[in-house]
């Protein structure tokens, strides 16, 4: 599968009006309630020092579903990237859904698209959400990709072009290169207002306070609308230029 460098630097062309709309969050200020502002079941999350980094972590001993949402209006020609580590064996009852696209702050009733990490097949899979009902887009990693019972650190990148094609790339922690998993096209939903982390947690002890998130970047991908222009041409012989 093709590989590319982790979180490539945006060209200068991207420094137009895109920076004003992008979302950047590394939790270094220890506060996730502002700059950017997150809302939801905020009491079930906290910021901790982890392996030399400030990271968002779950903070709930109770079974249930809880979430954090932050405003985002970028969707087409967009790149979402983030770090995530689930330090337990994932399952259908213990996983995380990352809503890249959501028309509301509450994922339970949202129209949009989300990337699930975990689930019964222990993999990454992109779903469409129709008023909260999930339908797979067919974009998924191999079963067992999220295979550890103690630590599953990944850098994740998803892009969406102007034709509605999502492309997923993954890099296990420590690997500097993202590997493209695949692509899927879906244009059912065309607008977004939020980016959301949703944690699904059972009553088991293993997943308690073991969901970690960091280095969130949502940015526009610049579109080159300028056709090439011939600057010079040099004849090499009577038949070659």
């Amino acid at each position: 599968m093709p590989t590319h460098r982790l979180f490539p630097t945006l060209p200068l062309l991207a420094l137009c009006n895109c920076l004003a709309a992008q979302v950047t969050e590394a939790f270094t200020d220890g506060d996730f309630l502002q700059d950017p502002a997150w809302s939801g079941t905020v009491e079930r999350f906290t910021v901790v020092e982890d392996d030399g980094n400030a990271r968002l972590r779950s903070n709930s001993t109770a079974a249930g579903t809880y979430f954090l949402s932050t405003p985002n209006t970028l969707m087409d020609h967009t790149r979402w990237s983030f770090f995530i580590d689930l330090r337990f064996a994932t399952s259908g009852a213990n996983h995380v859904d990352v809503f890249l696209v959501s028309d509301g702050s509450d994922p339970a009733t949202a129209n949009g698209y989300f990337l699930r990490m975990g689930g019964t097949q222990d993999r990454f899979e992109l779903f469409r959400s129709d008023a909260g009902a999930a339908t797979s887009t067919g974009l998924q990693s191999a079963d067992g990709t999220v295979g550890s019972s103690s630590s599953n650190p990944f850098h994740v990148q998803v892009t969406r072009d102007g034709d509605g094609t999502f492309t997923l790339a993954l890099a296990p922690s420590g690997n500097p290169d993202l590997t493209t998993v695949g692509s899927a096209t879906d244009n059912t939903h065309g607008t977004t207002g939020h980016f959301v982390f949703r944690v699904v947690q059972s009553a088991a002890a293993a997943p308690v306070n073991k969901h970690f998130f960091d280095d969130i970047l949502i940015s526009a991908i610049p579109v080159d609308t300028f056709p090439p222009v011939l600057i010079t041409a040099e004849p090499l012989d009577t038949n070659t230029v």
Side-chain angles (χ1 to χ4, degrees):
M1 289 185 178
T3 61
H4 43 91
R5 295 300 298 176
L6 183 63
F7 309 142
T9 302
L10 290 175
L12 290 178
L13 184 60
L15 300 178
C16 51
N17 297 324
C18 308
L19 289 179
Q22 75 176 18
V23 176
T24 304
E25 176 67 276
F27 305 105
T28 53
D29 60 359
D31 181 9
F32 62 87
L33 296 179
Q34 56 187 349
D35 195 28
W38 295 81
S39 61
T41 45
V42 295
E43 70 279 3
R44 295 196 175 189
F45 293 89
T46 187
V47 176
V48 299
E49 284 294 320
D50 177 64
D51 195 26
N53 298 283
R55 285 177 174 154
L56 181 72
R57 194 204 72 192
S58 60
N59 191 39
S60 176
T61 59
T65 300
Y66 48 100
F67 69 93
L68 276 185
S69 170
T70 194
N72 169 59
T73 57
L74 295 177
M75 180 173 175
D76 289 333
H77 303 294
T78 296
R79 177 186 295 113
W80 298 263
S81 61
F82 54 90
F83 169 85
I84 186 169
D85 187 7
L86 305 185
R87 297 179 184 174
F88 53 88
T90 59
S91 67
N94 288 290
H95 58 265
V96 166
D97 296 330
V98 182
F99 278 73
L100 312 170
V101 171
S102 179
D103 66 351
S105 60
D106 187 346
T109 57
N111 294 304
Y113 300 91
F114 67 86
L115 182 68
R116 174 165 293 171
M117 180 180 179
T120 305
Q121 292 79 21
D122 299 317
R123 66 191 180 196
F124 288 87
E125 184 169 5
L126 183 70
F127 289 85
R128 186 181 75 239
S129 177
D130 303 312
T135 300
S136 178
T137 65
L139 173 53
Q140 59 198 38
S141 67
D143 290 1
T145 299
V146 190
S148 173
S149 62
S150 59
S151 186
N152 295 280
F154 283 88
H155 289 282
V156 180
Q157 178 176 282
V158 181
T159 59
R160 177 180 163 97
D161 64 18
D163 297 322
T165 298
F166 291 91
T167 299
L168 170 64
L170 302 172
S173 184
N175 186 343
D177 295 311
L178 287 158
T179 298
T180 300
V181 172
S183 299
T185 301
D186 194 303
N187 283 297
T188 304
H189 304 303
T191 59
T192 187
H194 303 271
F195 173 82
V196 187
F197 287 120
R198 177 171 67 183
V199 175
V200 178
Q201 181 176 321
S202 74
V208 171
N209 299 343
K210 297 292 180 63
H211 313 76
F212 292 81
F213 311 90
D214 203 359
D215 297 331
I216 302 158
L217 175 62
I218 306 172
S219 58
I221 300 173
V223 180
D224 185 358
T225 59
F226 298 98
V229 176
L230 179 64
I231 298 176
T232 61
E234 180 182 352
L236 303 179
D237 55 44
T238 56
N239 297 311
T240 307
V241 176

